Amino acid sequence: MAEAEKKELLQGKIIATLFFEPSTRTRLSFESAAHNVGAKVIGFSDSAASSTAKGESLTDSIKTVENYSDIIVIRHPRDGSARRAAEVSETPVINAGDGSNQHPTQTLLDLFTIHKEFGKIDGLKICLLGDLKHSRTIHSLATGLSFYSGIKFFLVSPNSLLMPTEIIEKFSGKNFEQSNDVTQFLPEIDVLYCNRIQKERFTDPVEYEKVKDVFSFGKEILEHAKPGFRIMNPLPRINEIKPELDTSKAALYFQQAANGVPVREALLNILKDVEK
Ligand code: NCD
């Protein structure tokens, strides 16, 4: 579609981006996408700058912002907050990450990236690695992948950060293996999807210190990898992937970040016609 035509898609619409938690890629790619399709953007990137800091409830904030916008994009530290917002809002709500629960638009761009790279998703062998207990991007991706056939999952995490059983149940019919170490799986894996240890979700900082550096991959990981092996990460990365891997053909993480824009343009376009 021509740029000029694209700019007409959401002409006159207002997108509200309500970010109660830090974000770089999700907020800015939503805002970039909104501009590309001709919408205007309002919102905040820090709840300290909103009435939340005065004690306003999420429900009241949403009941207010729905009057100012055509689509609401929300990121919030509480699990289930986006669902709650959607229940009280007449305006469509997009979940841009709710606590350690889910991050569905990240999954859309992750699946888009995998499909673009491999030409398929069915039948791939995918390793989910890192903080499987708290990573919402991994919870959502595992959920999304459970709709495809022939996927084999490898789950790699420290024992204290295992995948929650309710997520494992979603792909219980599928083949999966669990371990603390990825090395043995490398000759089989198509995609290594890593996410950082989620520091902000730990109640005990000592527990975080124990696991924060358990994964740190450099070029050596490529030595035993399958041909066509790819590394993904929703970013930010902390220690789990060394910058020396960035120039490798295996590194897909900055392409993922780039793919966030067209995927979110498409999503905004789908939601623009939802009747209030
Ligand atoms: C992720 C998130 O916010 O859950 N980031 C993102 O949206 N790309 C991953 C993370 O914070 O580790």
Side-chain angles (χ1 to χ4, degrees):
M1 181 181 283
E3 285 303 307
E5 223 180 305
K6 212 157 94 173
K7 274 256 185 287
E8 298 288 313
L9 291 172
L10 271 83
Q11 197 62 250
K13 302 278 183 191
I14 297 180
I15 312 300
T17 56
L18 311 185
F19 278 66
F20 295 88
E21 263 195 349
S23 171
T24 298
R25 279 149 289 271
T26 304
R27 185 175 65 83
L28 295 178
S29 65
F30 258 117
E31 297 194 357
S32 180
H35 290 298
N36 290 345
V37 294
K40 293 195 165 64
V41 178
I42 60 170
F44 51 81
S45 55
D46 181 354
S47 62
S50 77
S51 282
T52 306
K54 300 178 184 172
E56 183 170 65
S57 69
L58 175 63
T59 303
D60 286 1
S61 299
I62 296 295
K63 297 286 319 155
T64 303
V65 176
E66 67 171 337
N67 300 303
Y68 306 156
S69 56
D70 299 288
I71 297 172
I72 296 174
V73 181
I74 181 173
R75 167 170 289 187
H76 195 280
R78 204 164 60 234
D79 292 24
S81 51
R83 180 174 293 278
R84 174 74 192 141
E87 279 163 6
V88 300
S89 173
E90 297 289 327
T91 297
V93 173
I94 299 175
N95 182 3
D98 64 318
S100 55
N101 185 34
Q102 294 277 331
H103 192 345
T105 69
Q106 178 70 40
T107 294
L108 292 178
L109 76 88
D110 290 339
L111 294 175
F112 179 82
T113 305
I114 295 171
H115 194 276
K116 215 170 156 187
E117 194 65 20
F118 290 87
K120 62 171 190 176
I121 295 174
D122 287 337
L124 292 178
K125 298 186 174 180
I126 299 189
C127 178
L128 305 174
L129 176 145
D131 185 346
L132 303 187
K133 180 177 179 189
H134 301 113
S135 167
R136 57 195 176 196
T137 60
I138 286 181
H139 297 166
S140 277
L141 183 59
T143 307
L145 287 170
S146 70
F147 292 102
Y148 291 86
S149 55
I151 303 281
K152 177 162 184 190
F153 289 97
F154 299 92
L155 307 179
V156 178
S157 70
N159 287 339
S160 59
L161 300 173
L162 296 175
M163 186 78 101
T165 42
E166 66 270 23
I167 304 289
I168 292 189
E169 276 163 16
K170 295 190 181 178
F171 56 83
S172 57
K174 307 239 187 292
N175 209 344
F176 77 93
E177 289 187 52
Q178 242 168 335
S179 175
N180 306 135
D181 182 9
V182 72
T183 321
Q184 61 197 307
F185 300 140
L186 281 173
E188 260 197 272
I189 296 170
D190 295 301
V191 177
L192 174 64
Y193 190 99
C194 324
N195 190 199
R196 73 187 166 91
I197 308 294
Q198 308 274 298
K199 184 179 183 186
E200 67 276 31
R201 311 286 176 220
F202 283 70
T203 42
D204 182 352
V206 176
E207 289 304 310
Y208 172 71
E209 286 302 316
K210 282 188 203 160
V211 289
K212 71 177 178 71
D213 294 322
V214 286
F215 300 115
S216 179
F217 302 117
K219 283 194 173 146
E220 76 292 341
I221 197 170
L222 302 175
E223 280 166 30
H224 303 288
K226 184 175 171 177
F229 171 77
R230 294 290 181 266
I231 304 170
M232 297 177 68
N233 191 316
L235 304 176
R237 49 123 171 237
I238 308 302
N239 298 322
E240 66 279 11
I241 297 175
K242 293 186 184 144
E244 67 184 39
L245 276 170
D246 295 1
T247 49
S248 153
K249 198 170 165 2
L252 281 189
Y253 27 95
F254 290 109
Q255 286 173 48
Q256 280 172 267
N259 289 340
V261 177
V263 167
R264 290 177 169 124
E265 285 172 1
L267 186 59
L268 294 175
N269 188 44
I270 289 168
L271 291 177
K272 73 173 191 295
D273 296 322
V274 173
E275 289 293 323
K276 277 210 188 187

